[in-house]
Every structure is written in C-alpha cells, then in structure tokens.
Amino acid sequence: MCYSAMVEEEFRHYLRMTGAEMDLQQFAEIYGLRASGVNVRIARCVDRWFDAPQTPEARRIKDLIDAYRNGATVKLETELFAQKRRLADAERKLQVKQTKAASESRRIAIDKIAQALARLPLLKDSKPHAADGRVFPMHYVPLVVKDGERTVLKLARYHCRQAGKPASIDRQFPGLYNARRDNIEKFWRNEFTQQHGLMLVNSFYENVERDGKNAVLCFVPKPAGTMFIACLYSRWVDPKDGELLSFAAITDEPPAEVAAAGHDRMIVNIQQHNIDRWLSPRDQTVEELQAILSDRQTPYYEHQVLAA
C-alpha cells in the first residue's frame, strides 16, 4: 500500500525529468496555512528548496518557513523544559518510594525529551538529514499535474478526499492514500481518466508480518533510479474550509521479489516516456491508460528490514 516513501529531494530533478514548473502561489498558500498554526506536514527537503530564494514569491515562502520554524522551536523548547522538570520530579519521588505512577511519568518524560532533542536540530538549521524526503499518509507531497498545457508541481496531501465527500471520510477510510488498480474504474471513477498526477520517489516502505510481529521493509530499486508513481487526485472545496488538493497512489499486484518479501501490493512505477500521456488522461482511452499502468519500469526491488 506504500504507507511511506522517500520522495525525490531535488527540485531540479522534477524539472529535468518531467518539465514541471513550480506553482509558487499554491506553495505559498500551503506554507501560509502551516505558519498560521494549521497542522500541515511538509517534507523537510521541500523546505530546503527555498534556502536561497531568487524571486519575491520564493522569498515570501522562505519567510513563512522561518516563521513556522521559529514558532515551533519556541514551543518545542518550552515542552523540553517542562519534560525535564517532570523527569526530575519523578526521580525524586522514586528515590523515596517506587510507584507505578512515578515510573510511568519518568518513562514518558524520557521519551519526550529524546523526541524533542531529535527534532530541534531539524528546526534550527537547513542542513540535509537522512530522512528529509520521507513522507507518510496525510503529509503534503510534491505532485506533478497538468494545468491546461502546463506541467506544474504542486503540494498535495497524500490521502485523497474526493470532491463532494464529507471531511469525516478521512477518519472513516484511513486507507485512501491507496487507489487499488482493480477498483479505479469503480470507486475512483471520478478521478481516473480525469485527474492524474505523478509522485517521484526513490524508495518505499511497507509493513509486513515476520514471525507474528510487524516489520518495516524498505524497498529500493536496483539499479537505483527515480520511480514515477501513477496517482489520482481530487480538488475538494468547502465554503468554510477552502480547497484541499489531495491524492492517492495507484497500487497493483507486486513483482515476485516484493511478494516473496511478504507484501501483496505495489505502487505502480510507470515508464518515463509515458509521463505526459498519463498526465493528460482526457486525450487517452481507458484502454490506453490501463496500458500505461501495465507498461512499468522493471528494476529489481531489493529490500532491507528496518524495524520489527
């Protein structure tokens, strides 16, 4: 189902591989929401695209990033101070008497202190970190789409809320980041043949069962290369809440090596020469679009167990 992926981190690769230009106005709207306090999660690698802004629009986005980071840093440092005090209080109580409540409070404080210390450097500097491109459902992800004759790059939420559906569908159906190919002409009929997108990723992660326990596997194509993931998107509009651009990645039966690793779905990795046709679905028949989904890149997907 692709519960997590490592997206392409460099903007110039989007430009070179797809010809997409960035929709700076739309980026500014999303970054403005995040700076205002709305829970908008954006891959840190995208923030770095604006480290050296060259235009007024990019400068505006950089200012919004700085405002968010400054506010989040203050909030996190306040939380860190509170958890250190909580830890000290719990340890004092444990010196007097061992209690379940004090032990639990100490454990929680230690965990939260570790989380805060790990996150603070990500807020305070722009240095690249290993997981800067990793995204999960409900994150905002760079998505390549067609806007008239232009190929553009927008930020879209990785969990599709279809137009006309209530906002509560996000909670009702937590798997709407996955558009099963055997269902795209049914459940996804309003998006398939109408609103197609492309997500660029370098690797993806899946949960599998190993010896009765959950394990996280990281799949990487060999030879290494960019995966062009076929997606369906929707524009959800509400008079009160405004517009939400969101999408789902199409999945299908996995290749043999992914199935052997224990996972039964695979994101559809189309050929680069089919990108423009996929992004222009109204010029294609259903049969032609289905043929694009069948004509995939075929690297060997090597995997590594990350957690169990």
Side-chain angles (χ1 to χ4, degrees):
M1 291 176 65
C2 193
Y3 94 97
S4 177
M6 194 73 74
V7 298
E8 174 56 60
E9 295 190 11
E10 299 293 335
F11 171 68
R12 68 178 182 274
H13 290 169
Y14 289 87
L15 180 62
R16 177 172 60 85
M17 293 175 180
T18 71
E21 56 183 288
M22 194 184 305
D23 186 341
L24 284 169
Q25 181 177 347
Q26 194 261 358
F27 269 66
E29 291 172 359
I30 302 301
Y31 273 105
L33 287 173
R34 188 177 73 166
S36 72
V38 177
N39 183 24
V40 172
R41 291 170 285 182
I42 303 170
R44 190 172 179 273
C45 65
V46 180
D47 288 359
R48 296 207 318 272
W49 293 355
F50 303 96
D51 283 349
Q54 302 296 314
T55 66
E57 294 89 349
R59 177 75 255 176
R60 179 188 171 203
I61 294 171
K62 179 64 165 65
D63 290 343
L64 291 168
I65 292 170
D66 290 344
Y68 162 75
R69 286 186 171 181
N70 291 337
T73 297
V74 170
K75 184 177 180 180
L76 197 57
E77 287 177 336
T78 301
E79 171 70 7
L80 181 60
F81 177 80
Q83 292 303 325
K84 286 182 175 179
R85 186 171 58 186
R86 178 182 187 176
L87 176 60
D89 289 343
E91 289 181 334
R92 278 195 297 271
K93 291 177 182 178
L94 288 169
Q95 287 176 356
V96 176
K97 183 180 180 181
Q98 293 288 324
T99 66
K100 183 177 179 180
S103 295
E104 181 67 3
S105 185
R106 180 180 182 275
R107 183 193 65 78
I108 292 172
I110 290 173
D111 287 348
K112 290 192 173 182
I113 288 169
Q115 291 168 7
L117 291 175
R119 191 174 173 221
L120 274 173
L122 303 179
L123 292 169
K124 288 186 171 183
D125 66 54
S126 297
K127 297 176 183 177
H129 290 262
D132 283 355
R134 191 167 179 186
V135 299
F136 295 84
M138 305 305 287
H139 284 200
Y140 279 72
V141 178
L143 186 72
V144 181
V145 300
K146 279 286 190 180
D147 186 357
E149 296 300 314
R150 298 162 55 231
T151 304
V152 297
L153 189 63
K154 295 178 179 285
L155 284 175
R157 194 188 71 177
Y158 182 38
H159 187 277
C160 193
R161 184 190 298 170
Q162 295 168 306
K165 302 291 185 180
S168 59
I169 197 171
D170 291 349
R171 296 185 301 275
Q172 277 183 283
F173 299 99
L176 290 179
Y177 57 89
N178 167 36
R180 293 178 60 103
R181 186 182 176 186
D182 56 15
N183 208 17
I184 57 175
E185 294 184 43
K186 301 170 187 174
F187 183 85
W188 300 96
R189 62 187 179 279
N190 292 328
E191 291 77 33
F192 181 57
T193 75
Q194 300 296 315
Q195 297 172 149
H196 291 192
L198 197 73
M199 177 171 59
L200 274 57
V201 309
N202 296 318
S203 60
F204 63 98
Y205 304 79
E206 299 290 3
N207 289 300
V208 301
E209 184 178 312
R210 290 285 176 90
D211 300 322
K213 297 180 180 179
N214 182 69
V216 177
L217 305 186
C218 176
F219 291 91
V220 180
K222 299 293 181 181
T226 300
M227 300 171 63
F228 302 106
I229 307 305
C231 302
L232 303 174
Y233 74 87
S234 185
R235 296 181 186 277
W236 182 91
V237 181
D238 181 83
K240 179 181 177 182
D241 297 328
E243 179 178 298
L244 171 68
L245 182 67
S246 59
F247 74 101
I250 297 177
T251 63
D252 200 359
E253 299 297 320
E257 67 273 19
V258 174
H263 199 66
D264 62 355
R265 304 297 300 168
M266 169 74 189
I267 45 179
V268 174
N269 180 15
I270 68 173
Q271 299 276 3
Q272 187 173 6
H273 64 254
N274 281 327
I275 287 176
D276 193 63
R277 292 177 60 221
W278 175 254
L279 295 178
S280 307
R282 298 178 191 184
D283 298 333
Q284 319 295 322
T285 65
V286 169
E287 292 73 21
E288 288 171 332
L289 292 171
Q290 289 283 13
I292 290 172
L293 295 177
S294 295
D295 181 24
R296 304 172 198 173
Q297 297 189 67
T298 56
Y300 181 86
Y301 294 99
E302 191 173 86
H303 77 273
Q304 178 183 4
V305 181
L306 296 188

